[in-house]
Amino acid sequence: EVQLVESGGDFVQPGGSLTLSCAASGFTFLNYEMNWVRQAPGKGLEWVSYIDETGTAIAYADSVKGRFTISRDVAKKLVYLQMSDLRAEDTAIYYCARRYIRTPRNFDYWGQGTLVTVSS
Amino acid sequence: DIQMTQSPSSLSASVGDRVTITCRASQNIDTYLNWYQQRPGKVPKLLIYTASSLQSGVPSRFSGGGSGTHFSLTISGLQPEDFATYYCQQSYNTPPTFGGGTKVEIK
């Protein structure tokens, strides 16, 4: 069974840092790029970042570029999102989602999400 | 970035109704278009990929169509469990972008 389990969400003050983790199981990790997608309270879905299957290709949304860093540990089947200089607008549920490396490149499995709240 | 625009942003319908949601891309994305359903408090679920292919396990009352810049999601015979928010998403290039969502509510 495919599973993606996020952890690390917390309440943090503006300017603070946090690292999210996503543990993957039940599928061939190297066949998928891994993504973070977030959803602010009552809002829509916003793609945040992706890392390819080897960890060599990475991309970020403009809204987080320079503040967030994605990485993956292939051996442990883990994906991380290091977040720094957090702002109120980063408050959201953060979902880990996989995407097959070839067509169709859809998000076919999502984790349950982890909540990040940025507030003073 | 490719902008995805959904319409309407919300609609009210009754059980058994046929409902159509549209999604427009700001540039040609061929058929690299996916649809997701998100029930309240739940995780997004893939319904349709590459514009018209039904994801495994998704009921056949869901169908998708379109290519280029105009796409649609149709639910034929709305069921109580279909009341949810639906999102389109382009997978033509990076960043993958989502539409703003269409909330389907009970009339």
Side-chain angles (χ1 to χ4, degrees), chain A residues 39 42-45, chain B residues 6 21 23 33-38 44-45 47 73 85-89 98-102:
Chain A
Q39 186 169 36
K43 302 297 184 182
L45 301 169
Chain B
Q6 286 182 236
I21 299 166
C23 177
L33 189 283
N34 309 301
W35 289 97
Y36 301 85
Q37 174 195 64
Q38 187 176 33
K45 172 187 172 183
L47 295 178
L73 172 70
T85 300
Y86 295 85
Y87 295 93
C88 63
Q89 175 251 327
F98 293 87
T102 296

Side-chain angles (χ1 to χ4, degrees), chain A:
Chain A
E1 179 193 5
V2 173
Q3 282 198 316
L4 297 170
V5 180
E6 302 95 335
S7 60
D10 206 345
F11 185 101
V12 61
Q13 292 190 332
S17 299
L18 207 57
T19 296
L20 306 182
S21 300
C22 170
S25 61
F27 64 97
T28 303
F29 196 51
L30 282 174
N31 283 347
Y32 291 85
E33 67 171 51
M34 298 302 295
N35 293 257
W36 289 95
V37 178
R38 69 184 180 183
Q39 186 169 36
K43 302 297 184 182
L45 301 169
E46 178 190 17
W47 173 82
V48 172
S49 180
Y50 101 95
I51 185 166
D52 78 347
E53 66 277 17
T54 62
T56 54
I58 287 172
Y60 300 97
D62 287 345
S63 57
V64 307
K65 202 172 293 183
R67 301 187 298 122
F68 289 13
T69 302
I70 192 171
S71 60
R72 70 192 283 168
D73 185 326
V74 173
K76 295 182 179 178
K77 294 188 177 181
L78 288 168
V79 184
Y80 303 100
L81 186 69
Q82 295 174 271
M83 305 184 294
S84 63
D85 188 23
L86 284 162
R87 306 166 181 169
E89 55 265 34
D90 295 318
T91 294
I93 297 173
Y94 284 73
Y95 296 104
C96 173
R98 74 173 194 179
R99 196 161 73 156
Y100 191 56
I101 57 176
R102 284 179 278 279
T103 301
R105 292 170 55 72
N106 51 61
F107 300 115
D108 66 340
Y109 275 91
W110 301 59
Q112 290 300 307
T114 188
L115 177 62
V116 173
T117 304
V118 184
S119 175
S120 54

Side-chain angles (χ1 to χ4, degrees), chain B residues 62-84:
Chain B
F62 291 93
S63 62
S67 66
T69 61
H70 285 79
F71 302 87
S72 63
L73 172 70
T74 297
I75 310 171
S76 301
L78 205 60
Q79 297 299 301
E81 60 268 29
D82 300 337
F83 292 95

Side-chain angles (χ1 to χ4, degrees), chain B residues 3-51:
Chain B
Q3 306 303 315
M4 306 301 294
T5 304
Q6 286 182 236
S7 61
S9 56
S10 66
L11 65 90
S12 296
S14 301
V15 172
D17 284 354
R18 177 185 173 96
V19 166
T20 297
I21 299 166
T22 63
C23 177
R24 187 176 75 251
S26 61
Q27 68 180 71
N28 184 355
I29 59 169
D30 196 356
T31 56
Y32 292 96
L33 189 283
N34 309 301
W35 289 97
Y36 301 85
Q37 174 195 64
Q38 187 176 33
R39 296 182 176 126
K42 300 298 184 182
V43 177
K45 172 187 172 183
L46 176 66
L47 295 178
I48 302 279
Y49 60 94
T50 53

